[in-house]
């Protein structure tokens, strides 16, 4: 069993170190790029924690239309719907790159949440943060232009605003995926991406490199991302 400093360093809870303490009901798997983790309609019996990589969550309508509803990165949980009684998965999860993921059985997760207050507080914080993100996404869809929604999405994916992040950050996502996530067409995303690049807000050559200047543009009272060229 690891000692306390390994689990909590300078007051920061380390979920990776903590999850290593779970003796049963826990497995660690590596997933290749584009490999499915679980599918819509599968039995929901476990929660997942991303140690490394990015995971895409999609839903498929009865008419066969697929939509991206979330992208999760290292340090985040997904698949927790089983904890509130969901018997089947309502979405599909897929590795966007090589991933290292911890899978925790529902019974083990419920036991740990009941017995370990620090982990419980960490997990509740995760859920509250996600709920806030969903509310922000809804407001974004209702009131902002598709160009501004794209800018906000790029900033979220690059984790700008966390720990004073100011250095350019690479994102590997297709324009089709970005279009699905903000509710517009690929051609519009291409147009906006070219505009952002011309203004020096991003670099785009296979990977998207997000600059601090994009955040500054969004935060300005009259951002320079909505006016015509």
């Amino acid at each position: 069993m690891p000692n306390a400093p390994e689990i909590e360093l300078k007051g920061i809870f380390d979920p990776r170190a903590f999850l290593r303490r779970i003796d049963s009901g826990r497995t660690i798997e590596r997933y290749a790029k584009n490999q499915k983790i679980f599918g819509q309609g599968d039995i929901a019996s476990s929660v997942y924690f991303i140690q490394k990589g990015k995971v895409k969550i999609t839903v498929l309508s009865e008419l066969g239309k697929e939509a991206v509803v979330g992208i999760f990165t290292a340090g985040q949980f997904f698949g927790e719907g089983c904890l509130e009684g969901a018997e089947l998965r309502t979405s599909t999860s897929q590795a966007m790159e090589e991933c290292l993921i911890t899978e925790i059985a529902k019974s083990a997760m419920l036991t740990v949440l009941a017995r370990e207050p620090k982990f419980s507080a960490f997990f509740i914080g995760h859920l509250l943060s996600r709920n806030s993100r969903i509310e922000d996404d809804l407001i974004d869809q209702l009131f902002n232009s598709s160009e501004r929604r794209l800018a906000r999405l790029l900033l979220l994916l690059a984790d700008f605003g966390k720990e004073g992040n100011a250095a350019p950050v690479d994102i590997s996502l297709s324009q089709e995926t970005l279009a699905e996530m903000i509710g517009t067409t690929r051609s519009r995303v291409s147009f906006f991406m070219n505009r952002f690049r011309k203004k020096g807000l991003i670099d785009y050559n296979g990977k998207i490199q997000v600059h601090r200047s994009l955040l500054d543009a969004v935060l300005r009272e009259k951002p320079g991302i909505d006016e015509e060229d």
Side-chain angles (χ1 to χ4, degrees):
M1 180 180 295
N3 55 27
E6 184 182 355
I7 298 173
E8 188 172 6
L9 181 62
K10 296 182 179 179
I12 300 174
F13 182 80
D14 183 355
R16 294 172 181 82
F18 179 82
L19 290 173
R20 288 199 295 269
R21 295 174 53 191
I22 301 177
D23 295 326
S24 61
R26 172 183 65 90
T27 58
I28 299 176
E29 297 286 346
R30 290 189 181 273
Y31 292 87
K33 182 178 180 180
N34 296 326
Q35 184 176 351
K36 184 169 71 173
I37 301 164
F38 60 72
Q40 189 169 328
D42 288 353
I43 295 174
S45 59
S46 54
V47 179
Y48 297 83
F49 178 80
I50 306 172
Q51 294 194 38
K52 176 185 175 184
K54 290 187 179 70
V55 172
K56 177 172 68 173
I57 307 295
T58 61
V59 294
L60 189 67
S61 73
E62 293 181 356
L63 299 176
K65 183 177 171 117
E66 186 178 76
V68 179
V69 295
I71 292 179
F72 301 115
T73 60
Q76 294 184 305
F77 293 91
F78 66 97
E80 66 272 12
C82 64
L83 299 179
E84 58 178 2
E87 296 181 357
L88 299 177
R89 299 293 184 191
T90 58
S91 61
T92 295
S93 60
Q94 183 180 35
M96 299 180 66
E97 57 192 33
E98 184 178 325
C99 291
L100 182 65
I101 295 176
T102 299
E103 180 179 355
I104 310 111
K106 174 183 175 180
S107 57
M109 188 72 173
L110 290 173
T111 298
V112 171
L113 288 172
R115 294 180 178 176
E116 301 286 351
K118 288 183 180 179
F119 179 75
S120 180
F122 177 84
F123 187 69
I124 290 172
H126 158 80
L127 296 180
L128 291 174
S129 176
R130 178 173 298 178
N131 185 63
S132 177
R133 166 74 183 275
I134 291 171
E135 291 180 356
D136 289 344
D137 287 346
L138 178 59
I139 293 171
D140 197 35
Q141 289 286 341
L142 290 173
F143 298 111
N144 286 332
S145 68
S146 54
E147 183 178 21
R148 193 173 287 270
R149 293 201 303 271
L150 176 60
R152 175 177 174 270
L153 175 61
L154 293 176
L155 291 168
L156 286 170
L157 293 172
D159 283 336
F160 269 102
K162 291 185 179 181
E163 300 179 356
N165 194 344
V169 179
D170 286 340
I171 301 171
S172 297
L173 283 178
S174 69
Q175 292 187 357
E176 289 86 355
T177 298
L178 293 171
E180 289 174 2
M181 295 188 71
I182 65 171
T184 189
T185 63
R186 181 191 177 284
S187 61
R188 292 300 287 167
V189 167
S190 179
F191 175 79
F192 297 143
M193 295 285 281
N194 286 330
R195 174 181 282 180
F196 293 169
R197 181 164 51 186
K198 289 178 182 177
K199 293 178 180 293
L201 306 177
I202 67 170
D203 286 322
Y204 185 46
N205 185 17
K207 287 186 176 181
I208 308 163
Q209 192 173 48
V210 181
H211 296 286
R212 174 81 187 192
S213 54
L214 180 62
L215 176 61
D216 296 337
V218 170
L219 292 177
R220 283 203 302 267
E221 197 168 313
K222 293 182 179 180
I225 62 173
D226 288 317
E227 79 270 5
E228 297 296 330
D229 287 337

